[in-house]
Amino acid sequence: MPQTPSWVKQLKPSGPQGSDLLASERAASNVPVEQLSELLFTKETIQKKNKILATLKSEEMFDKSPNYYAGRYEYFEKSVARAKALRNLKLRENWTLEEYRIACDLISEPLPYSLHEGMFVVTLKDQGTPEQQERFTKPADDYKIIGCYAQTELGHGSNVRGLETTATWNPERKTFTMHSPYLTASKWWIGSLGKMANFACVMAQLIINGKSYGPHPFIVQIRDLKTHEPLENVHVGDIGPKVGYNTMDNGFLLFNNVEVPHISMLARFSEVDPNTSKYVRKADPKLIYGTMTWVRSTIVMQSGSALARGVTIATRYSAIRRQFTDRDEPKAKVETPVLNYSMVQIRLFPLLAATYALHFTGKAMMNLYTRAQETLSKGGASILADLHGSSCALKALSSTIAVEGLEVCRRACGGHGFSSFSGIGNWYGNYLPTVTFEGDNYMLTQQVANYVLKSARAALAGKAAKNETGHILAEYLKKKDIRPSFDITSSNADIVSAFAWRAASLIFDIQNKRDNLKTAWNDLLVDFYRMNKAYAQYMVVVNFYNTLQNTKAAPEIESVLSTLFRLYALHTLDQEASDFTATGACTERQVAVARSTVEQKLLKEIRPHALRLVDAWDFDDYVLDSSLGRHDGKVYEDMFYRASELNPLNRVTVDPYPESPVCFRKVEEAHPKSKL
Amino acid sequence: MPQTPSWVKQLKPSGPQGSDLLASERAASNVPVEQLSELLFTKETIQKKNKILATLKSEEMFDKSPNYYAGRYEYFEKSVARAKALRNLKLRENWTLEEYRIACDLISEPLPYSLHEGMFVVTLKDQGTPEQQERFTKPADDYKIIGCYAQTELGHGSNVRGLETTATWNPERKTFTMHSPYLTASKWWIGSLGKMANFACVMAQLIINGKSYGPHPFIVQIRDLKTHEPLENVHVGDIGPKVGYNTMDNGFLLFNNVEVPHISMLARFSEVDPNTSKYVRKADPKLIYGTMTWVRSTIVMQSGSALARGVTIATRYSAIRRQFTDRDEPKAKVETPVLNYSMVQIRLFPLLAATYALHFTGKAMMNLYTRAQETLSKGGASILADLHGSSCALKALSSTIAVEGLEVCRRACGGHGFSSFSGIGNWYGNYLPTVTFEGDNYMLTQQVANYVLKSARAALAGKAAKNETGHILAEYLKKKDIRPSFDITSSNADIVSAFAWRAASLIFDIQNKRDNLKTAWNDLLVDFYRMNKAYAQYMVVVNFYNTLQNTKAAPEIESVLSTLFRLYALHTLDQEASDFTATGACTERQVAVARSTVEQKLLKEIRPHALRLVDAWDFDDYVLDSSLGRHDGKVYEDMFYRASELNPLNRVTVDPYPESPVCFRKVEEAHPKSKL
């Protein structure tokens, strides 16, 4: 690439500089950013994070500057190197598991050991016998064997009972034969399987004496421990490029009658008696289902932070990007930052409010879960059941809000949002599968329907459970004849009640359709989806509200959080207006007032605090890896630097004429290391 | 990569085969696919297309099978080669411009000559004098010079008046000095500029004797015609990777006082008199603004087809993908194709209806435009003005529907939708900028507001224009005191009237706020957005309705198109329910009926015809490049083939242990050519 000429190096952006604009934005608000960050994350966690951040930044391996340019092949190679380096760093720095996870979060891309660590080892520990722990978990903990969790198949995802891979018990040899009878039986989408794993925890239909006992987990070696080549009769590889997640080797796996020893079947909950060949159930596997609730609550909490990256980037850039002067002030000389436009505010600020709402909701649910487990004896069971239902509903809602919100943020950045340097596109691509995994967001609504139908029947029988859902259903039944009105304009508690009313009403509506009108299940799926949204939105609103009630903070923080609460709730109410009016939770007039409160009042109240509210999310520039979202506002300088200096395509000259068979004319291999 | 073992090659998908499933889907409907295709595209165009398709398929250069694996660097190199090959093919096959465009459409990825062809040459022809045509257009037509259209800058997009690049007239030397005074003056996002162009049509502020005359177009050489290296004092390059469009070299460009001759300024509409140094206006540049209406109508029409790719893929795959048995028929042995689930239908079928609605709307507008131009004398002017306003509104609505609909289709494919092999992800990425370019979809709503405000004032003064907008405004004023009711359940014409009523009501609402309540422009932007949606949705509904009225086709076609019309209209009405009730276009009860008509009736009516309705879009497998969307239903075979055989990552072995510094252990370079 031709050296950047000196006359280019001297150029500055025109007009007020980004740094000055962000500085005056920050000066205009009195929200104490550091205190708010600590309220979100705790001081201790922030300190840990900063220490780990400094370590990562000092390692060349974790320099992010080449990331956006690499093709998948080279990017995955780098990703393997990074996974190894991070594991070695953990040992060198003596990181706890929590600290290791913080490091992964800061790196912000999937690493190919993560399913080994997050699923293979965890499954071994949860479901293995002491003998299996000794045999498998120990070498796995030492990375002598690298594993994955192989459940999903080419032909089956959500319907686990339909899996086609078989594990047939051979009584004479006391072994299992692992087999893939069809192409659709191929394991598919399995993270860390494609290239990394030499072992897999394979979910397969257990067959004893011709009878199927349903899916069970088997620990199977698939690659040679030395050459890492696939073992005989094992066909394994990477499933190819994806919309995102390309630093992960999602893989496929087929068996052709591969025999494995008796110890392969994880036997904490059930086993095949090697002598009698009888299937023996030893414990209830439901015992471990609680962890799924935990995982889902984590997704809810992370959805806030996932979305906050996009909101941070878009808000900072919108404070710098100026476009047109105000139509009603034609004499203004300087163009207006687009963050002043109401059409930009209405897109970004409700999402800003959602980041806080989702974070507090996830956190509250995790606390509730911990407390319920401690008090399982006195009512904890009903709370756990409720947490299961509401965490399914919330997982679906929160990941959808985050995914769709990130795209709104990207588009709010205008043309530059489409550049990889915006930092939103890649992040969106990597976050995107969240709407499909850990329960597809649409499928989950049927599970939620199961739960609320049961709850509604109990409430109608006067036996409403002593949990959140039971409470709102019982309240609804108590008051439905008098049709209460909620003062959504001046009472936050009444806003919560209106959301509860709408959710309860939709729940009883599907209960009526199913139980009294005998509507077919399939004809109710769309109703379930709508009910799920109402139910989950209520959970978010009530958790946000409770957090405000229970939080002691500086008055500036309490005040701005209360505004965010009302913005989130009233904007949602406006978006779902026809639900609220149809269920009698609001009148059409109230909806109109809610809308104008949002548009004419709350957006304006948030405006001066917008920058500080995103700053409180405390994303380092290293984490965001975004030109547009730079903390110092050097947006254009960074865009230009990445395009002009780092872009490998600028180290080649094209022959542009159609007659010439040559396309690229020269390539300098070196990748410049200098940074802005 | 280890050879695929023979036992793998013998595997088939389980259960009913995809081919059989699609065959029985097709057998279950009597919609004449070929006739419907001809109604969409004309027989002549389809024949042309098939001939070109055969040519492209026979050329190895246009084999798409390596596309999904390449990193940007190598992909762009391939893209340059393809651009050249296509140009040479055009000459060899003697293609017309229309045929060349069909070929581009079939290749379905941006090619780096396209801004040369679509913008540079067109601008020269539209805005050049005969002398400039001779000097620039001729060599450009022969690809001796390769150009681009350099308007957008790093710091300025929509606000063209704010461009910072200057072209200063030097009276003594009779030249212009092109200069970039700031970093933000750098041209940015310019297609074909990054690597290909040796000339640029640069929009720059014309300055004569210290006075600015606003942006004007200048033809400037930027690279050496032989070495293709940038000329002195020109800094030019590629702006880097993007969310999509990575086969295009969007570029940046900076000038350091580069002097160009007098002939550089395109002078059909205005020029600098070289002797007097006076600015001379020669014709009204508004003359060429009509073409922008044409371009926008094209975007509307293409939005139907862009979306139809996703709908085709998702519908075909959903007919094959089976998941769970029907809950109310627990004894069913075979799992149900997910296309039978109402939650899948409610996501896909309204989009299927939208593809037809948008296609017919775009087509109708282009016809109207042609006719209006022919009859400019008798009323054409008012129709053209109306076409301008409605095409802005429709561009915003239709590209948003297509972009968001494509993502809905991708997610409706479940986990496999995330694979590049779904064929939706890359297409989405390439289509995505449509919501931002040719007028950002949010910015456009202000232009629409300008137009409808004028129209509303005219209507109030009893001088409603004789065009579509004038018509609905006048009707509204005539009837608003009697508040008519529309029979949306049984009359298609009344559905159209309800959409017109809502749109007119929202238009008068903003007119009232602006003119009577003196609301600030900035406080109306969200209202403009809502009005724009209502106005554009009315245009789609009325154009779809008129097409049905004016189309003679087989009764099966007329019947299914009428169902699609009602599905599109009533589903939209349900989505926008609070608008319809608030404006009095519908009652809450009517909304509820519309919803249940959609969910309990129309979805079921479309179900048997879904496959044939997507088949009628006539996408060849070559075009879709999708495993999931294959016409023959060999979904799983194709997924597996691409993953196992074509994927370059499967030609390498990883060393998975953290202690080892080696990551990839061997690479075989050869790319297999065999196809499924």
Side-chain angles (χ1 to χ4, degrees), chain B residues 63-224:
Chain B
D63 171 23
K64 292 187 179 179
S65 67
N67 284 6
Y68 293 135
Y69 308 100
R72 179 161 191 247
Y73 184 93
E74 53 199 303
Y75 202 5
F76 181 69
E77 185 170 16
K78 180 85 181 204
S79 178
V80 174
R82 282 181 176 165
K84 292 182 181 194
L86 194 68
R87 160 72 187 164
N88 294 328
L89 215 52
K90 176 177 189 289
L91 295 177
R92 191 189 85 191
E93 302 286 318
N94 212 5
W95 282 338
T96 62
L97 186 60
E98 187 206 351
E99 286 164 325
Y100 181 72
R101 284 196 180 134
I102 291 174
C104 291
D105 201 43
L106 294 168
I107 293 169
S108 309
E109 61 187 24
L111 288 173
Y113 281 145
S114 61
L115 279 293
H116 168 71
E117 295 155 349
M119 285 294 288
F120 183 69
V121 174
V122 172
T123 306
L124 281 172
K125 289 181 181 168
D126 281 352
Q127 305 192 38
T129 59
E131 189 195 356
Q132 288 170 327
Q133 307 285 356
E134 184 62 29
R135 172 80 164 264
F136 301 118
T137 316
K138 228 165 149 274
D141 270 337
D142 293 340
Y143 293 70
K144 299 295 175 205
I145 68 178
I146 316 287
C148 61
Y149 183 81
Q151 179 168 305
T152 302
E153 295 177 354
L154 185 53
H156 281 87
S158 298
N159 185 8
V160 179
R161 306 229 133 249
L163 294 176
E164 293 173 349
T165 305
T166 52
T168 308
W169 173 248
N170 308 303
E172 355 32 87
R173 297 189 300 281
K174 301 189 194 310
T175 60
F176 299 97
T177 297
M178 308 300 297
H179 188 56
S180 315
Y182 302 105
L183 189 65
T184 38
S186 178
K187 295 296 172 185
W188 207 267
W189 283 112
I190 313 305
S192 305
L193 167 66
K195 306 308 298 177
M196 295 295 277
N198 46 32
F199 269 73
C201 173
V202 179
M203 287 298 277
Q205 302 284 356
L206 170 64
I207 295 171
I208 308 172
N209 201 12
K211 188 185 160 193
S212 175
Y213 289 80
H216 284 74
F218 295 82
I219 305 298
V220 184
Q221 183 175 350
I222 54 171
R223 284 186 170 102
D224 185 273

